[in-house]
Amino acid sequence: MSKKYLAFDVGGTTIKYGIVDENLQISDRGKVDTLHNKDGHILKSLIKVTKEMIQKYQLDGIGVSTAGIVGDDGSIMYAGPTISDYQGTPIKKELERTFKIPVSVVNDVSAALLGEKLAGSVKNASSIYCVALGTGIGGAFWADGHLFNGYHQTGNSIGYTLFDPITSTNYEQRSSTIALQKELEPLGIDPIEAFARAKKGSLREKKIIDAWALQVAEGLSSVLLLLDPEVLVIGGAVSKQGNYLKDLLNEKLNQILPPNLCKTVLKMASLGNDAQLYGGISNIFEK
C-alpha cells in the first residue's frame, strides 16, 4: 500500500492542505480560514482536518509548514502580528498525542526550501539558501544535510537586516513585494501587471522594477558573501517571473559585488504554493 502523508501550510489567512503520496503526487486538496487564530482556531482546524482525513486514509505522518519561528519541539517560538495568540502553540505535541503518528513542523520559508529540494528546482544541490519574497522577506539555509537555524532558532531573519536609520526601514520594508506594490500605486497597477509591461519594453515600469531589484540584490549579496551557498533560490509568488527576474537580479548583483568573486547559482523556485506542502512532510518522508 502506498504511503500517504497529510501536509498543511499555515499562513496568515488560510490553512492549505493535501494528501501527498510516496510518488509526491498531491490529492484531496482543501483550505480553511485561520479566522485570525481566534480561540486557538489554527490548532483546532489542524486536528479537525486530520480527523476527517484519517477516516479516508491510513496516514503515515503529518507535516506542517507554518508562519512563525518553530522551536525544536515543534511549537511556535515566535509569531508576528499576522497571527494573533499563536506564540507557544504546541502543534507537534498535540498532533502526535492525538493521532499517534509522526509529525514534523517547520517554518514556512524552511519548508519552501525543503520542498524545492525534495521535488523542485534544487533536488541535487548540497548547499542551498532560500529567500522568500512576499509580504515580508524570509530566509532559510541548508548545508551538510540539515537546516541551519542558529543557536536560538532565530537565524536567517534576513528581513530585519540592513536597517537604515535615515528612513527607519529594514530590508523587507524596502524590498518585499509589498514595497514594490507601494511604488506602483501611483500607476494603479500591481506587480504582475508591472512585470508584464516591463517585459514588453515599457520604460516607466522597468525603471521602478529595476530600482526595487537593486534593493533586493543588496540583501542577496550579503547572503552570498557570508555563506557562499552552492545555490540561492528565490521563492514567493514573484518567482513566477522566471528568467526575467533571475537575469535582472544577476545584473544587479554584478553591479554591487566584486567581479568574479561569488560563484553561487541563482535559481527561481519551481513549485509555487506546493513547495510548503512538500517541505512540511520532507523530514518524515525522507525517513
Side-chain angles (χ1 to χ4, degrees):
M1 182 180 294
S2 173
K3 289 188 176 182
K4 290 182 172 59
Y5 306 87
L6 175 57
F8 290 100
D9 177 22
V10 181
T13 57
T14 61
I15 304 169
K16 302 179 184 71
Y17 61 88
I19 296 294
V20 184
D21 66 24
E22 60 187 15
N23 297 314
L24 298 177
Q25 299 300 307
I26 302 177
S27 62
D28 217 336
R29 296 172 184 266
K31 64 180 180 179
V32 295
D33 199 305
T34 64
L35 299 183
H36 305 292
N37 200 36
K38 183 180 180 181
D39 299 323
H41 182 75
I42 289 176
L43 181 56
K44 291 176 183 177
S45 294
L46 298 181
I47 292 172
K48 180 176 182 292
V49 171
T50 303
K51 285 181 177 178
E52 293 171 356
M53 290 298 183
I54 277 182
Q55 298 301 313
K56 301 165 68 174
Y57 305 101
Q58 180 177 326
L59 297 178
D60 293 277
I62 303 168
V64 181
S65 160
T66 177
I69 295 174
V70 179
D72 288 335
D73 62 352
S75 67
I76 305 301
M77 285 181 55
Y78 175 81
T82 307
I83 306 178
S84 62
D85 301 319
Y86 197 39
Q87 190 163 317
T89 302
I91 296 175
K92 178 180 170 71
K93 177 182 177 182
E94 286 303 307
L95 290 179
E96 287 189 336
R97 182 185 66 80
T98 305
F99 300 107
K100 307 297 189 295
I101 55 177
V103 176
S104 175
V105 185
V106 293
N107 162 266
D108 52 2
V109 183
S110 296
L113 185 158
L114 292 171
E116 290 292 335
K117 180 165 178 54
L118 180 66
S121 63
V122 290
K123 286 182 182 179
N124 299 316
S126 58
S127 172
I128 309 158
Y129 201 95
C130 177
V131 174
L133 300 174
T135 304
I137 298 180
F141 184 37
W142 169 278
D144 296 330
H146 63 277
L147 289 166
F148 283 84
N149 296 316
Y151 184 83
H152 301 100
Q153 305 299 312
T154 60
N156 304 306
S157 300
I158 186 173
Y160 300 129
T161 63
L162 299 177
F163 180 79
D164 177 16
I166 297 176
T167 61
S168 293
T169 59
N170 57 31
Y171 179 48
E172 71 179 11
Q173 290 170 319
R174 298 188 300 274
S175 310
S176 65
T177 52
I178 292 296
L180 176 59
Q181 174 69 70
K182 289 179 180 178
E183 293 297 317
L184 294 167
E185 282 178 359
L187 305 183
I189 60 174
D190 62 15
I192 295 174
E193 178 62 24
F195 272 101
R197 294 184 184 185
K199 289 173 184 177
K200 292 178 181 178
S202 176
L203 296 179
R204 183 175 60 172
E205 285 80 10
K206 188 176 187 305
K207 182 178 179 181
I208 294 173
I209 291 173
D210 276 9
W212 169 79
L214 181 60
Q215 295 276 11
V216 174
E218 287 182 1
L220 301 184
S221 69
S222 298
V223 172
L224 302 187
L225 291 168
L226 289 171
L227 298 175
D228 184 30
E230 178 187 355
V231 178
L232 193 155
V233 60
I234 302 296
V238 75
S239 65
K240 292 179 181 178
Q241 299 304 325
N243 288 336
Y244 182 89
L245 178 58
K246 182 179 72 172
D247 293 344
L248 182 58
L249 291 174
N250 276 324
E251 174 191 317
K252 302 305 178 186
L253 286 168
N254 287 335
Q255 291 176 14
I256 60 180
L257 288 171
N260 303 315
L261 176 62
C262 295
K263 308 298 183 184
T264 296
V265 175
L266 188 65
K267 289 191 175 184
M268 297 292 111
S270 63
L271 297 174
N273 292 331
D274 287 347
Q276 279 88 346
L277 294 177
Y278 286 122
I281 61 114
S282 174
N283 290 331
I284 49 179
F285 181 89
E286 294 192 323
K287 289 180 181 179

